Amino acid sequence: MKEETAGELDTDPLTLMEEREEKDRGIMGEEQVEEGKSEGQPASSDTPNSTKEKEENCVEVRTEMEEKATEKGMEEGEKELLLEAEVKMEVCQSAPGLQMSFIQGSDLFGYVGIEAVLDQMRRKTMKAGFEFNIMVVGQSGLGKSTLVNTLFKSKVSRKSCTPSYEEKICKTVKLHSVSHVIEEKGVKMKLTVIDTPGFGDQINNENCWEPIVKYVNEQYETYLREELHVNRKRRIPDTRVHCCIYFLPATGHRLRPIDVEFMKRLGKIVSIVPVIAKADTLTIEERQEFKERIRQDLTANGIRVYPQKEYDEDPEERILNDRIRESIPFAVVGTDKEHQVNGNKVLGRKTKWGIIEVENVAHCEFANLRDLLIRSHLQDLKEVTHNIHYETYRVRRLNESNMNFSELGLSSWSLENGTADKCESDSHL
C-alpha cells in the first residue's frame, strides 16, 4: 500500500501539471490568434459583422472552458476566476463598437421622471415669456390694423393705441412699431406689431420696398452685434421680424408688379404669408379663381412664401403644410365688432342680407390664418427666422468682415477671441 500511494503521489502531480500546461497553451494559442486578427485589421475598421464574430468566439471559448473544467474536475473557485476573466475580455472587445441600446418605458424597473423635463421647460417659459414680432404690409384701406386686432382679440394696432389718431397718407414709407405684453392663462407674450404706412400709396412706387428691407436687416444687425459682444447678455432681446403678412387687394385679377417685386425681394430675408384683404367683396367662385391665379404667379416668378417645402422635416409636418399651401393666399375678413347670432356673440360684419362671421370657415379663411400664425406654427416661424434667415445674414456679414480684415492687413483672431476693442469690431463688422 505504501508503494502504491508513493507511486500515485509521483504520477498525479505530473499529470496535473501537464494538463494545466496544455490548457494554458490552448488559451495562449487562442489569444495569439485573436491578437493576430486584431493586428491584421485596424481598430477603426471594426464592422458589425466582426463584432458579431468576436462575440460568437467568446461564447465558444466559454463553453469549451466550462466543458474542460467539468471533465477535469476543477474547483469552483478556479471556475469563477476563469468566468470573470472571460467577462472582462468580452467587455474589452465590445467597447470599440459602442453599440447603443434603446430602453423603453416597459423595460424600466420603475418611474424615473424623465417626462418632468417638459414641465420644467413649461414653467421657465411661463415665467420668462416669449417674443413675437409681426409685420403688416399693404396699401392704406385694406384693413391691416383691423385684422391684427381681430387676430389677438384686442386693440394692439398703432391706429387703435394712439389717442386722437388721424389717418393721413404718408409721402414716404415709414415704419412704426407698437409693443404690447399679452397674457393668457399665465403665459406672457411680448407682441410687437410693425406697420408700414405709405406703402404703395404714391404715384411713383419705385423702390418703395427699400425701407422695409433696410428695417429687417437692421434688426438682424442689432442681434448679431449683441451676439459678438465679449460680455453678452444672458438673453438677447429679439427684435427680428418673425412673420410678414402681405395684403393683396381683392381685384380678382393677377398679382400687380409691385406685389411681385416686393414678395420676390422680401421672401429671401423674412417669412411672408400673403392674404386677400376684404375677401367678402368677392363671390366664392371669384375668390377661388383669384387664388388659383395668384398661386400660378407665385410659382412662375419663383416667390417663396411660408411654409416652404424644403423646410419640411417630418412626414406629418409635410402633410399639414401641404394643406396650408393649397389654401394660400388666405381670403380673410377682419372686424373688431361683436354681433348676436343665435343667442351667441360672434365677431362679424353686419350687412343688409346677413352677418359675415369672421371665425366661420364657411364665410372666410380667417380661422386658418390664425391657426397658422398662433396655434400651430408660431414657434416654427421663430425657428425659421433664427435658423434660416438670420443665419444667412450672419454668414454673409461675417464673410464681409473677414474680407475687410484681410484687406486692412489685420487678423480676425483678435475679434474671435474678444480681445479687440469694441469700436474696431463695430467699424469693421
Side-chain angles (χ1 to χ4, degrees):
M1 291 293 290
K2 288 180 181 180
E3 291 176 357
E4 290 176 0
T5 53
E8 289 176 359
L9 289 171
D10 292 337
T11 55
D12 289 341
L14 292 172
T15 55
L16 289 172
M17 291 295 292
E18 290 175 356
E19 289 176 358
R20 287 182 180 176
E21 287 177 359
E22 289 176 359
K23 292 173 188 174
D24 293 339
R25 288 173 185 171
I27 294 171
M28 290 297 291
E30 291 173 356
E31 289 179 352
Q32 288 176 359
V33 170
E34 291 177 357
E35 288 177 0
K37 290 180 180 178
S38 62
E39 288 176 359
Q41 296 178 353
S44 61
S45 64
D46 287 338
T47 59
N49 295 327
S50 62
T51 54
K52 288 180 180 178
E53 290 176 359
K54 289 180 181 180
E55 291 176 358
E56 292 175 357
N57 293 333
C58 290
V59 173
E60 291 176 359
V61 171
R62 184 195 298 170
T63 52
E64 289 178 1
M65 294 300 295
E66 288 179 354
E67 289 175 359
K68 289 181 182 179
T70 51
E71 290 175 359
K72 304 292 173 101
M74 294 176 63
E75 295 180 357
E76 293 181 358
E78 293 180 358
K79 268 189 186 180
E80 291 176 358
L81 290 173
L82 285 172
L83 289 173
E84 287 178 1
E86 290 167 8
V87 170
K88 288 179 182 177
M89 289 171 62
E90 288 179 2
V91 170
C92 293
Q93 289 175 358
S94 62
L98 293 176
Q99 297 179 357
M100 298 293 291
S101 61
F102 182 72
I103 301 175
Q104 296 182 352
S106 58
D107 299 331
L108 299 174
F109 297 115
Y111 178 72
V112 179
I114 300 173
E115 64 177 2
V117 176
L118 297 175
D119 296 332
Q120 299 171 25
M121 296 171 65
R122 187 173 182 271
R123 283 196 299 269
K124 281 195 172 183
T125 306
M126 289 179 67
K127 286 181 181 179
F130 56 97
E131 299 163 334
F132 186 62
N133 308 319
I134 187 170
M135 176 185 282
V136 288
V137 182
Q139 289 181 351
S140 300
L142 292 181
K144 300 188 295 294
S145 303
T146 306
L147 183 69
V148 173
N149 293 340
T150 312
L151 274 173
F152 298 96
K153 293 188 176 180
S154 57
K155 295 183 179 181
V156 295
S157 67
R158 173 180 58 88
K159 180 178 177 180
S160 59
C161 296
T162 307
S164 65
Y165 177 81
E166 294 182 2
E167 187 71 30
K168 294 181 181 179
I169 298 177
C170 300
K171 294 182 180 179
T172 58
V173 179
K174 294 182 180 179
L175 284 90
H176 299 278
S177 62
V178 180
S179 297
H180 301 271
V181 177
I182 303 175
E183 184 175 355
E184 184 182 21
K185 294 183 179 181
V187 181
K188 295 180 181 179
M189 181 180 72
K190 183 182 177 183
L191 174 68
T192 303
V193 181
I194 302 104
D195 197 359
T196 57
F199 177 82
D201 294 336
Q202 308 304 317
I203 297 175
N204 184 10
N205 290 313
E206 186 178 1
N207 299 329
C208 62
W209 50 80
E210 286 185 355
I212 301 173
V213 174
K214 182 181 177 183
Y215 178 84
V216 173
N217 289 329
E218 282 176 355
Q219 309 313 309
Y220 290 150
E221 183 74 17
T222 304
Y223 195 90
L224 178 60
R225 290 184 185 279
E226 289 290 337
E227 274 194 339
L228 292 178
H229 284 170
V230 178
N231 298 321
R232 60 184 179 183
K233 298 176 183 178
R234 186 176 180 182
R235 186 175 181 182
I236 300 174
D238 192 2
T239 59
R240 299 169 295 181
V241 180
H242 299 130
C243 178
C244 175
I245 304 177
Y246 187 73
F247 287 74
L248 299 169
T251 59
H253 302 291
R254 292 185 175 272
L255 290 178
R256 301 170 300 170
I258 187 174
D259 302 330
V260 174
E261 288 296 325
F262 177 84
M263 288 193 285
K264 188 182 292 185
R265 295 172 187 272
L266 266 291
K268 299 176 182 178
I269 60 175
V270 72
S271 299
I272 292 182
V273 178
V275 297
I276 301 172
K278 295 186 176 182
D280 53 340
T281 59
L282 299 173
T283 62
I284 297 176
E285 292 80 8
E286 291 173 347
R287 183 192 305 174
Q288 197 62 32
E289 292 176 0
F290 188 35
K291 292 176 68 172
E292 286 291 335
R293 292 170 186 166
I294 291 174
R295 281 195 288 266
Q296 291 174 4
D297 291 344
L298 292 176
T299 305
N301 293 282
I303 298 172
R304 304 170 62 187
V305 296
Y306 182 85
Q308 291 92 336
K309 288 184 179 181
E310 56 267 24
Y311 302 153
D312 296 341
E313 297 179 355
D314 301 330
E316 296 178 359
E317 290 183 2
R318 190 178 297 110
I319 294 171
L320 177 61
N321 292 339
D322 286 339
R323 293 177 184 173
I324 295 171
R325 282 187 280 266
E326 289 175 358
S327 59
I328 282 179
F330 297 103
V332 298
V333 177
T335 183
D336 50 4
K337 294 181 180 180
E338 292 183 343
H339 299 278
Q340 290 283 343
V341 177
N342 297 327
N344 299 321
K345 288 185 177 181
V346 295
L347 290 170
R349 293 172 59 87
K350 189 175 181 179
T351 61
K352 290 183 179 180
W353 49 86
I355 295 175
I356 302 170
E357 300 178 19
V358 171
E359 297 180 342
N360 191 344
V361 183
H363 293 184
C364 70
E365 297 175 342
F366 170 80
N368 298 335
L369 175 65
R370 181 191 57 195
D371 293 345
L372 172 68
L373 295 178
I374 301 173
R375 300 186 180 181
S376 62
H377 286 69
L378 189 145
Q379 187 61 32
D380 187 65
L381 281 165
K382 297 181 67 175
E383 290 177 358
V384 168
T385 302
H386 181 76
N387 298 328
I388 307 298
H389 300 302
Y390 170 69
E391 282 297 320
T392 304
Y393 178 84
R394 177 179 170 274
V395 169
R396 179 171 61 84
R397 293 293 289 129
L398 291 179
N399 287 335
E400 291 176 0
S401 65
N402 290 335
M403 290 176 63
N404 291 335
F405 277 116
S406 61
E407 289 174 0
L408 294 171
L410 301 174
S411 64
S412 60
W413 181 83
S414 58
L415 178 62
E416 292 174 359
N417 270 350
T419 56
D421 294 334
K422 183 181 177 182
C423 60
E424 287 186 4
S425 63
D426 289 348
S427 62
H428 295 303
L429 178 61

